[in-house]
Amino acid sequence: MAATLHDVARIAGVSIKTVSNVINDYPHVKPDTRARVQTAIEELGYQPNLSARSLRSGLTGAITLALPELSLSYFAELADAVIRAAERAGKVVLIEQTNGDRTRELEVLTSPRLKMTDGLIFSPLGMGMDDVDRLEVPYPLVLLGERIFDGPADHVTMRNVEAARAATEFLLERGRKRIVVIGAHEDEVIGSAGLRLRGYREALDAAGLDFDPALIGYTTLWHRSNGATSMRALLATGVEFDAVFGLNDTLALGAMRAIQEAGLRVPDDVAVIGFDDLDEAQYSLPSLSTVNPGRDEIAETAVATLLQRIGDRDGAIGDARQILARYEIVERESTPPL
Amino acid sequence: MAATLHDVARIAGVSIKTVSNVINDYPHVKPDTRARVQTAIEELGYQPNLSARSLRSGLTGAITLALPELSLSYFAELADAVIRAAERAGKVVLIEQTNGDRTRELEVLTSPRLKMTDGLIFSPLGMGMDDVDRLEVPYPLVLLGERIFDGPADHVTMRNVEAARAATEFLLERGRKRIVVIGAHEDEVIGSAGLRLRGYREALDAAGLDFDPALIGYTTLWHRSNGATSMRALLATGVEFDAVFGLNDTLALGAMRAIQEAGLRVPDDVAVIGFDDLDEAQYSLPSLSTVNPGRDEIAETAVATLLQRIGDRDGAIGDARQILARYEIVERESTPPL
DNA sequence: TCGAACCCGTACAACGTTGTAGAGTGACGG
DNA sequence: CCGTCACTCTACAACGTTGTACGGGTTCGA
């Protein structure tokens, strides 16, 4: 059986509270008492019982990260970044997968399992603005993503509209005029698809170009195969274009494959840009230009914000905050200069 | 503040133990008492305090999964599968990243943070056979991977040698005779690289072909760029070959890119096969044939085995077991039939 | 020399839960 | 009519930790 404070105390010949004081670096302990206790601790290989500590303190030292699924590279890389940020703060991360399913997401928000941790970083995909009040929860919560805005919780996200506009302008500056979009969602206003499409339209407007609905490829899911399928469908319509903006990298990579299959060359005939800056974007053929939406910054900020809320037991921080990460265009082979 | 058993008991007019009995479905509770308690529970929105329950029971209902990093697709997909399997059993998963660093791995094995969970599923990359006794730990442990065999813990893994042999034979059957290997490790005997290379050699032997060291590409890391670099180096030697066996999918995808850059065609000039059956293998151009090493089965078995050990407090199960998953060749465009 | 101030350590209670022991009630058989 | 048994519920202790309150000792200045 694992050693407890009592065991250590008995061996060191002190009270359990003194042992506790040594462990928690309480200053008023005589050096030789401290040494005696330390020796006993090492001798027994004592490690504190975290359940007992949690019960006493009300804190666990863990946080939950709820996201759609780790098989999606974007979320895997996000989880990686969150775990690293948490570790730097001495916290540990528990992961829940929702599959982007609204019901499951709502479940997670009220799951008793959350009580195993001190707070939640939540990246919903199925919930929408109608569910905004479900975010009114009795524990610290930081929201990610672009499904819900102006909710009752701190929200850390990316500059979707500006970044998408910048990506589009990046193509326009390189002489491309007919830019296909892959991954649009019908009638969506917010959500990654809606916002990024808005950025695209803003860039066209600013350049005095007309928006051509024939250039928009719709697909609900954002897997690579969806990018390829959507692109093939557009190619089949015979519409003319000289560039593609994939609303995320996997779509762009799928689209790039379809373009090449059709005998067109990237980037000579068609320039391609993605969004997310996944690791694999640098290894495609040709390597994929993309938008780095500040994922590491988002993870870092989300963890820091959550820990602040956890530490702030009397609500000194105040209302929900909106925090936006910096984005950056990453130029690679798929978008050559003029 | 959150409600406790005391609050519920007061409202329902019973003792806290009766409430506890209702919650734990203890049979001898009068129906109307039960109903009264249920009502009180719902009225207060009572949820049990898991820290207290853990303290009392010694179990947390969580397990730790320690792996190199989630940014590597293989491990992201493994984590996904482990989380799903755990969830089916009502358990939750906490993830630790080691970066495949030996020191960090040894740290994780003795980290106090492990006490937050009931057991560990451990996939080391830096540790080796010399560290085998470090696996003698005072908590339930299931080992994954091929760094350590015949250790003191249950071990769930894939049939590396057989599967690699099957992949090689698959190429041989399709008329390929000079098969490059990408991803070998100098002088490695076990480890994924060592075992898969052994399978490759066994297939050659069985076919009466000589092993040609000129066909082996060495690279320590298994990222896509390493596959590309290693392949370029081999191309530069001018050695002749008609197929490539990437010791994992990312290497194979990187190698495929380098082959295509060099003006060779896949699969006409060079057939390519990988190992792991990552999601992305089906979306490359051409799509990549590969070995499905039974990842889902490994995850499922690892969780089941760990939970057995956790439930087995008096050591009834006995010695460490070795469990091997079934593999399967996945045929795609990169390896056309004869 | 004495009180104040500080240092070091202890005892006890409490966090919220569940196991154990046992008390009270009613039914039933002898 | 009494003992037994099954049922329902309660009181209490315990899991291992830390906060609070306090007691005895030393040191220092007046």
Side-chain angles (χ1 to χ4, degrees):
Chain A
M1 229 27 317
T4 73
L5 283 184
H6 285 92
D7 303 322
V8 178
R10 194 160 17 83
I11 297 215
V14 295
S15 78
I16 56 167
K17 189 64 224 277
T18 300
V19 181
S20 170
N21 286 339
V22 169
I23 289 165
N24 296 292
D25 281 325
Y26 177 76
H28 301 309
V29 179
K30 247 195 292 186
D32 74 320
T33 311
R34 185 180 295 276
R36 213 144 29 93
V37 171
Q38 286 291 9
T39 312
I41 287 177
E42 273 148 43
E43 186 180 328
L44 291 174
Y46 168 78
Q47 290 191 327
N49 178 314
L50 298 183
S51 294
R53 191 176 271 179
S54 297
L55 174 59
R56 190 56 239 234
S57 69
L59 292 177
T60 65
I63 62 179
T64 301
L65 171 64
L67 42 70
E69 47 176 327
L70 287 173
S71 300
L72 301 175
S73 300
Y74 177 79
F75 292 107
E77 296 189 15
L78 178 66
D80 181 323
V82 167
I83 290 173
R84 281 175 209 278
E87 188 180 348
R88 262 174 259 134
K91 308 296 172 194
V92 92
V93 179
L94 198 147
I95 295 190
E96 292 269 3
Q97 297 193 117
T98 63
N99 297 317
D101 175 54
R102 175 171 169 278
T103 312
R104 183 91 182 75
E105 287 172 353
L106 294 174
E107 264 174 40
V108 163
L109 280 173
T110 59
S111 158
R113 281 141 56 140
L114 280 179
K115 314 252 320 219
M116 237 183 267
T117 61
D118 301 330
L120 172 64
I121 297 179
F122 185 44
S123 182
L125 210 56
M127 291 172 60
M129 286 302 288
D130 292 349
D131 302 308
V132 63
D133 32 310
R134 309 297 281 271
L135 296 178
E136 203 111 29
V137 292
Y139 51 81
L141 168 66
V142 170
L143 184 67
L144 302 183
E146 16 282 334
R147 298 291 306 169
I148 299 181
F149 289 89
D150 302 315
D154 293 328
H155 186 192
V156 182
T157 185
M158 52 185 74
R159 300 184 178 276
N160 278 282
V161 180
E162 291 97 318
R165 175 170 174 166
T168 311
E169 284 167 348
F170 183 82
L171 291 171
L172 294 172
E173 284 159 14
R174 275 155 191 74
R176 311 291 169 151
K177 295 222 148 42
R178 307 226 355 116
I179 305 174
V180 160
V181 171
I182 298 287
H185 291 175
E186 209 82 53
D187 296 326
E188 189 180 279
V189 179
I190 63 165
S192 310
L195 295 171
R196 292 177 194 171
L197 188 61
R198 182 155 114 222
Y200 166 81
R201 297 190 66 153
E202 284 186 11
L204 292 190
D205 280 356
L209 292 171
D210 282 339
F211 172 77
D212 182 353
L215 292 174
I216 309 301
Y218 293 89
T219 178
T220 320
L221 291 177
W222 279 11
H223 295 275
R224 211 188 278 233
S225 55
N226 306 113
T229 307
S230 177
M231 192 71 235
R232 284 192 203 104
L234 265 160
L235 284 161
T237 67
V239 65
E240 278 191 33
F241 61 93
D242 52 15
V244 170
F245 176 19
L247 294 189
N248 82 353
D249 281 353
T250 37
L251 285 170
L253 292 166
M256 201 151 78
R257 162 165 183 165
I259 293 166
Q260 291 169 324
E261 274 174 359
L264 295 170
R265 289 162 308 161
V266 178
D268 305 350
D269 302 319
V270 181
V272 179
I273 195 164
F275 198 112
D276 278 352
D277 196 18
L278 296 186
D279 224 44
E280 56 178 305
Q282 33 185 328
Y283 301 115
S284 59
L285 181 61
S287 59
L288 181 67
S289 296
T290 186
V291 179
N292 174 348
R295 188 173 44 246
D296 288 350
E297 190 186 341
I298 288 173
E300 186 78 45
T301 311
V303 170
T305 306
L306 186 65
L307 293 182
Q308 268 180 39
R309 289 282 179 194
I310 290 170
D312 173 43
R313 318 199 73 158
D314 29 274
I317 296 178
D319 288 348
R321 288 163 302 176
Q322 311 291 319
I323 301 162
L324 293 169
R326 280 178 297 266
Y327 67 90
E328 190 188 11
I329 302 280
V330 181
E331 183 168 5
R332 299 212 181 89
E333 297 164 1
S334 65
T335 57
L338 252 187
Chain B
M1 227 31 311
T4 73
L5 284 184
H6 285 91
D7 303 322
V8 178
R10 193 159 18 81
I11 297 216
V14 296
S15 78
I16 56 167
K17 189 63 223 278
T18 300
V19 182
S20 171
N21 285 340
V22 169
I23 290 167
N24 296 292
D25 281 324
Y26 178 75
H28 301 310
V29 179
K30 249 196 293 187
D32 76 319
T33 311
R34 186 181 295 275
R36 214 145 26 93
V37 170
Q38 287 290 8
T39 311
I41 287 177
E42 272 148 41
E43 185 179 332
L44 291 173
Y46 169 79
Q47 290 190 326
N49 179 314
L50 299 182
S51 294
R53 192 175 270 180
S54 297
L55 174 58
R56 191 57 238 236
S57 70
L59 292 177
T60 65
I63 61 179
T64 302
L65 171 64
L67 43 70
E69 45 177 329
L70 288 173
S71 300
L72 301 176
S73 302
Y74 177 78
F75 292 106
E77 297 189 15
L78 177 66
D80 181 321
V82 167
I83 290 172
R84 282 176 209 278
E87 189 180 349
R88 262 174 261 135
K91 307 296 172 193
V92 91
V93 179
L94 197 146
I95 295 190
E96 294 269 2
Q97 297 193 114
T98 62
N99 297 316
D101 175 54
R102 177 172 168 278
T103 312
R104 183 91 183 75
E105 287 172 354
L106 294 175
E107 264 173 39
V108 163
L109 279 174
T110 59
S111 157
R113 283 141 53 141
L114 280 179
K115 313 253 318 217
M116 236 181 266
T117 61
D118 301 329
L120 172 64
I121 297 180
F122 186 44
S123 181
L125 209 57
M127 290 172 61
M129 285 303 286
D130 292 350
D131 301 307
V132 64
D133 31 312
R134 308 299 280 272
L135 296 179
E136 203 111 28
V137 292
Y139 51 81
L141 168 66
V142 169
L143 184 67
L144 303 183
E146 17 281 335
R147 298 292 303 169
I148 300 180
F149 288 89
D150 301 315
D154 292 328
H155 186 192
V156 182
T157 185
M158 53 185 74
R159 301 185 176 275
N160 277 283
V161 179
E162 291 96 318
R165 175 169 173 168
T168 310
E169 283 167 349
F170 183 82
L171 292 172
L172 294 172
E173 285 159 13
R174 276 154 190 74
R176 310 291 169 151
K177 296 223 147 43
R178 302 212 17 101
I179 305 174
V180 161
V181 171
I182 298 287
H185 290 174
E186 209 83 54
D187 295 327
E188 189 180 277
V189 179
I190 63 164
S192 311
L195 296 172
R196 294 178 193 170
L197 188 61
R198 184 156 112 221
Y200 166 80
R201 297 189 66 156
E202 284 186 11
L204 293 189
D205 280 357
L209 292 172
D210 281 339
F211 172 77
D212 181 354
L215 291 174
I216 309 301
Y218 292 89
T219 178
T220 320
L221 292 177
W222 279 9
H223 294 276
R224 211 188 276 234
S225 55
N226 305 113
T229 307
S230 177
M231 192 70 235
R232 286 194 201 102
L234 264 161
L235 284 161
T237 67
V239 66
E240 277 191 34
F241 61 94
D242 52 16
V244 170
F245 176 19
L247 295 188
N248 82 354
D249 281 352
T250 39
L251 285 170
L253 291 166
M256 202 151 76
R257 162 167 184 163
I259 293 165
Q260 291 168 324
E261 273 174 359
L264 295 169
R265 288 162 308 161
V266 177
D268 305 351
D269 302 320
V270 181
V272 179
I273 195 165
F275 199 111
D276 276 352
D277 196 18
L278 296 186
D279 223 43
E280 57 179 303
Q282 35 185 327
Y283 301 117
S284 59
L285 180 61
S287 60
L288 181 67
S289 295
T290 184
V291 179
N292 173 350
R295 190 174 41 248
D296 288 349
E297 189 185 342
I298 289 173
E300 186 78 45
T301 311
V303 169
T305 306
L306 187 65
L307 293 182
Q308 267 181 38
R309 289 283 179 195
I310 290 171
D312 174 44
R313 317 197 74 158
D314 31 270
I317 296 178
D319 288 349
R321 287 164 302 176
Q322 310 292 320
I323 300 161
L324 293 169
R326 279 177 297 266
Y327 66 91
E328 189 186 11
I329 301 280
V330 181
E331 182 167 8
R332 299 212 183 89
E333 297 164 1
S334 64
T335 56
L338 252 188

